[in-house]
Amino acid sequence: MPTSEARLSGREAEGSDGETELARSGTPISDGNGARIGPNSLIQTGQALAALFGEETARMIFDRAGIGHRYANPPGTMLDEREPQRLFAMLCDTLSDQDATHVLAEAGHRTGHYLLANRIPKPARRLLPHLPTAVSSRLLVLAISAHAWTFAGSGRFSAEVRAWRQPVIHLAIKNNPLATPGCPWHGAVFERLFGTLTATQVSVLHPRCQAKGNDCCEWTITAATGSLRRA
């Protein structure tokens, strides 16, 4: 944790000037259209931060993002996408690249676990892993597409599954409001869902990333063998 500690110790709380500071992180703030997004983007990130770096650091980063009240009182409903957007940007700006990736990936896995336990109907959880991968992948893509606004906000989500014998899943978000370098949060969510419900381990690649200058964020998901690194 030394690299993150160096960054943490050298900053003052930004308060109302948070968006000016966030511009230096390379993550643009949305234009205020008020698009809504799921609360787990905040809740699970706060829990991951506290688990990996302690509650003091977690509270500080929430405060610097201008959403300190959300740490003490996690949201229970959909929220403005600019809140997790500011949190993700401040997290990337405060921690080292490696630590920020670790936190966001852990938050993504926690989000995926929450969705599996609370948002995927039990019949679907039981049935999908027993179907051929090509079928379960297509059904899961349909379900994700129907609820894409809960994680894509104002972004435009698209998805397709190619081939049947060895299916390849392509997911993309145009104007992704939560884009961060490598998008570890999204990748971990997708890995958790597809790796659990399609009855196979999966490899999640991120060939295009908006936070790295590409025109959109894109993921390619395929079946994998052996142990996997987290997204």
Side-chain angles (χ1 to χ4, degrees):
M1 198 170 72
T3 51
S4 292
E5 287 178 346
R7 295 192 189 196
L8 294 173
S9 62
R11 293 183 180 275
E12 298 294 333
E14 281 82 7
S16 60
D17 295 328
E19 293 194 10
T20 301
E21 179 66 26
L22 290 175
R24 295 203 289 271
S25 72
T27 303
I29 300 300
S30 61
D31 59 7
N33 58 12
R36 314 298 282 177
I37 206 164
N40 274 286
S41 53
L42 282 186
I43 296 171
Q44 305 304 334
T45 302
Q47 292 183 1
L49 265 170
L52 294 170
F53 292 98
E55 287 204 4
E56 183 178 350
T57 296
R59 290 178 185 276
M60 181 189 61
I61 290 178
F62 269 71
D63 285 341
R64 290 178 175 175
I67 53 171
H69 62 292
R70 293 296 197 187
Y71 186 79
N73 299 288
T77 59
M78 302 296 287
L79 66 156
D80 191 312
E81 69 177 18
R82 288 169 293 182
E83 293 189 35
Q85 191 178 48
R86 287 197 296 267
L87 178 62
F88 280 25
M90 182 57 70
L91 189 155
C92 291
D93 202 39
T94 303
L95 301 180
S96 70
D97 294 344
Q98 180 179 359
D99 289 341
T101 295
H102 191 185
V103 170
L104 289 171
E106 177 63 23
H109 278 281
R110 288 169 180 255
T111 299
H113 181 76
Y114 175 88
L115 296 175
L116 287 168
N118 299 280
R119 293 292 180 261
I120 306 295
K122 285 185 178 180
R125 294 204 306 267
R126 292 171 180 170
L127 174 64
L128 287 178
H130 296 285
L131 296 175
T133 301
V135 175
S136 59
S137 296
R138 284 169 167 81
L139 291 175
L140 183 54
V141 161
L142 287 174
I144 289 174
S145 298
H147 299 88
W149 57 281
T150 61
F151 63 86
S154 60
R156 297 194 299 276
F157 179 78
S158 60
E160 66 173 330
V161 183
R162 300 173 187 169
W164 287 89
R165 179 169 295 181
Q166 294 181 323
V168 180
I169 303 155
H170 294 272
L171 310 177
I173 303 177
K174 184 77 172 180
N175 298 323
N176 181 8
L178 298 186
T180 58
C183 291
W185 183 77
H186 293 84
V189 173
F190 296 145
E191 181 185 315
R192 188 77 171 91
L193 294 178
F194 282 93
T196 301
L197 296 175
T198 63
T200 182
Q201 287 185 313
V202 294
S203 173
V204 181
L205 302 179
H206 191 35
R208 291 197 290 171
C209 183
Q210 187 177 306
K212 294 184 176 182
N214 297 120
D215 61 345
C216 72
C217 289
E218 181 182 62
W219 296 265
T220 301
I221 304 173
T222 56
T225 58
S227 60
L228 290 177
R229 290 182 300 111
R230 286 194 169 186

